[in-house]
Amino acid sequence: MTQLNAQLAFIRELDRLKSVRRQALIKSDNNRQENSAEHSWHIALTAVTLQEYAEEDIDISRVIQMLLIHDVVEIDAGDTFAFAAIDDLNAQEEKELQAAHRIFGLLPEAQSQSMLALWLEFEKAESADGRFAKAIDRILPLIQNVQNSGGSWARHKVKKSQVLARNQYLDGLAPKLWDYVCEQIDVAEAKGWLIS
Amino acid sequence: MTQLNAQLAFIRELDRLKSVRRQALIKSDNNRQENSAEHSWHIALTAVTLQEYAEEDIDISRVIQMLLIHDVVEIDAGDTFAFAAIDDLNAQEEKELQAAHRIFGLLPEAQSQSMLALWLEFEKAESADGRFAKAIDRILPLIQNVQNSGGSWARHKVKKSQVLARNQYLDGLAPKLWDYVCEQIDVAEAKGWLIS
């Protein structure tokens, strides 16, 4: 297979992420479930918009590219709700690693290796870029749920303590965003969207 | 309004692009119509994947950001088919400019100006980054239609000459991609997906 044919196979495969449904609901589209492709677009632009709040030096180009590919593995592995049982989340990790090898493996060797490395950097969140990308991945669902009367929290009876624990990650990485999150979690509790 | 509140208003507004339907059909999701948010994700990753084919020096970070925002104006202006009548395409241009001012105008001043400038750079395609971004915007629908037995071409009885004229843009900018396009247009004609 030529270099270009391998790249086109990858581009065609990406189309399938548009059929992977997440728990988030889209207010502007009759509350249908969001898919992972449009989520990845939204989160990349959220990172662009909020980049000034990163405490560490980041390379926004790498952060965007991480976020564009972070969910591609769901083509094989599907989406797991952030507040699912811990056994389900662990099983998901293994499935996603296999998926990463298969899907990025469609690309020519050098490109495949660099995409896989970028995906792992996001998963491990051990670099400044990986940490900020992960922080943005935590805050966007909160912004959407607050916009949408509790959205997936309300539907799944999520607890305030769970959302606090998940977003505490922002403390230190983006303190101003963490302040906003704390404020909004209190609002959500007061409105009954999160269980106390 | 604080800086952060303005940015959050923009991020919330972006959600609406997920309800703007395009002519492209998604094979992996029962041939439903594609929306402009998931399209923007797909095209950004297409640019990342095919960047080596740009004849001019490009800054991939700027190209990606252009492609992420290029369709945001459709929140107000809707999508117009690439092969619509010329009067419709001209009217669309004016609506999109107004939309760009309103939507990017939700952001804090400096950020608003830089997003608007980036959007205009894509529209005018007078820089190397703008030209390559535009070239990718031309080739992705072709890749999708060839994958999907003619897709929107077949549905709208599009002519071979129209697709050739629209993609000729690639000649010079990305000659290897142009060769691929010519080949695929011949295939599409032979299969009856494009009218001779």
Side-chain angles (χ1 to χ4, degrees):
Chain A
M1 193 185 282
T2 67
Q3 173 98 351
L4 179 57
N5 279 337
Q7 290 158 330
L8 291 167
F10 175 73
I11 290 166
R12 283 191 298 262
E13 183 73 10
L14 291 179
D15 216 48
R16 296 177 58 201
L17 195 62
K18 299 168 191 166
S19 69
V20 175
R21 301 291 189 282
R22 295 163 42 81
Q23 291 303 324
L25 303 177
I26 298 179
K27 189 177 178 178
S28 68
D29 203 18
N30 297 317
N31 270 326
R32 69 168 171 85
Q33 274 183 275
E34 187 181 40
N35 71 60
S36 294
E38 61 200 353
H39 159 72
S40 300
W41 164 78
H42 202 176
I43 207 162
L45 272 182
T46 300
V48 171
T49 307
L50 300 179
Q51 58 184 293
E52 70 190 76
Y53 301 101
E55 280 286 290
E56 302 181 278
D57 282 341
I58 53 162
D59 175 341
I60 192 65
S61 175
R62 300 188 75 249
V63 171
I64 296 169
Q65 291 185 55
M66 268 180 216
L67 288 169
L68 289 175
I69 64 167
H70 83 293
D71 273 346
V72 161
V73 292
E74 294 180 358
I75 289 173
D76 289 353
D79 182 57
T80 301
F81 191 42
F83 302 109
I86 191 76
D87 282 358
D88 292 344
L89 291 170
N90 287 341
Q92 181 70 1
E93 232 178 87
E94 183 50 36
K95 278 193 280 183
E96 290 191 350
L97 186 63
Q98 284 177 21
H101 281 276
R102 185 190 74 77
I103 299 165
F104 299 127
L106 293 170
L107 288 163
E109 183 62 17
Q111 217 166 13
S112 165
Q113 288 307 321
S114 80
M115 286 254 191
L116 187 61
L118 200 65
W119 181 80
L120 283 168
E121 187 177 335
F122 173 83
E123 285 300 305
K124 294 183 184 160
E126 288 168 356
S127 66
D129 294 338
R131 281 188 288 268
F132 187 68
K134 189 76 85 176
I136 295 294
D137 194 38
R138 301 277 158 105
I139 200 176
L140 182 57
L142 177 137
I143 296 171
Q144 289 175 300
N145 282 337
V146 167
Q147 178 181 15
N148 201 6
S149 309
S152 60
W153 291 336
R155 277 175 75 220
H156 291 278
K157 304 194 191 323
V158 173
K159 289 182 197 152
K160 174 183 178 175
S161 59
Q162 289 178 294
V163 180
L164 269 175
R166 186 165 165 83
N167 279 281
Q168 185 135 25
Y169 192 80
L170 287 158
D171 190 11
L173 285 181
K176 279 195 190 160
L177 298 182
W178 171 237
D179 289 348
Y180 167 78
V181 162
C182 290
E183 226 179 79
Q184 295 302 311
I185 288 177
D186 284 343
V187 169
E189 184 188 22
K191 301 221 181 209
W193 299 336
L194 281 173
I195 293 176
S196 298
Chain B
M1 192 184 282
T2 67
Q3 174 97 352
L4 179 58
N5 279 338
Q7 290 159 329
L8 291 167
F10 175 72
I11 290 166
R12 284 191 297 263
E13 184 72 11
L14 291 178
D15 216 47
R16 296 177 59 202
L17 195 62
K18 299 169 190 166
S19 69
V20 175
R21 302 290 188 284
R22 297 163 42 81
Q23 292 302 323
L25 303 176
I26 298 180
K27 189 177 178 181
S28 68
D29 202 19
N30 296 317
N31 270 325
R32 68 168 173 84
Q33 273 183 276
E34 187 179 41
N35 71 61
S36 294
E38 61 199 354
H39 160 71
S40 300
W41 164 77
H42 202 174
I43 207 162
L45 272 183
T46 300
V48 171
T49 307
L50 300 180
Q51 59 183 296
E52 71 191 74
Y53 300 101
E55 279 287 290
E56 301 181 279
D57 281 341
I58 54 163
D59 175 341
I60 191 67
S61 175
R62 301 188 74 251
V63 171
I64 296 170
Q65 291 185 56
M66 269 181 214
L67 289 169
L68 289 175
I69 64 168
H70 83 294
D71 273 346
V72 161
V73 294
E74 295 180 358
I75 288 173
D76 289 354
D79 182 60
T80 302
F81 191 42
F83 302 108
I86 191 78
D87 282 358
D88 293 343
L89 291 170
N90 288 339
Q92 181 71 1
E93 231 177 87
E94 183 50 36
K95 280 193 279 183
E96 290 191 350
L97 186 63
Q98 285 176 25
H101 282 275
R102 185 190 73 77
I103 299 166
F104 299 127
L106 295 170
L107 287 164
E109 184 61 19
Q111 217 167 13
S112 165
Q113 289 306 322
S114 80
M115 285 253 193
L116 186 60
L118 200 65
W119 180 80
L120 283 168
E121 186 176 335
F122 173 83
E123 285 300 304
K124 293 182 184 162
E126 288 169 354
S127 65
D129 294 339
R131 281 188 286 269
F132 187 67
K134 189 76 88 178
I136 294 295
D137 195 36
R138 301 276 159 106
I139 200 177
L140 182 57
L142 177 138
I143 295 171
Q144 289 176 298
N145 282 337
V146 167
Q147 178 181 16
N148 201 6
S149 309
S152 60
W153 291 337
R155 276 175 76 220
H156 291 278
K157 304 198 192 319
V158 173
K159 289 182 197 153
K160 173 182 179 176
S161 59
Q162 289 177 294
V163 180
L164 269 174
R166 187 166 165 81
N167 280 282
Q168 184 135 29
Y169 193 80
L170 288 158
D171 192 10
L173 285 180
K176 279 195 189 158
L177 298 182
W178 172 237
D179 289 348
Y180 167 79
V181 162
C182 291
E183 227 179 78
Q184 295 301 312
I185 289 177
D186 284 342
V187 170
E189 185 189 21
K191 300 220 181 210
W193 301 335
L194 283 171
I195 294 175
S196 297

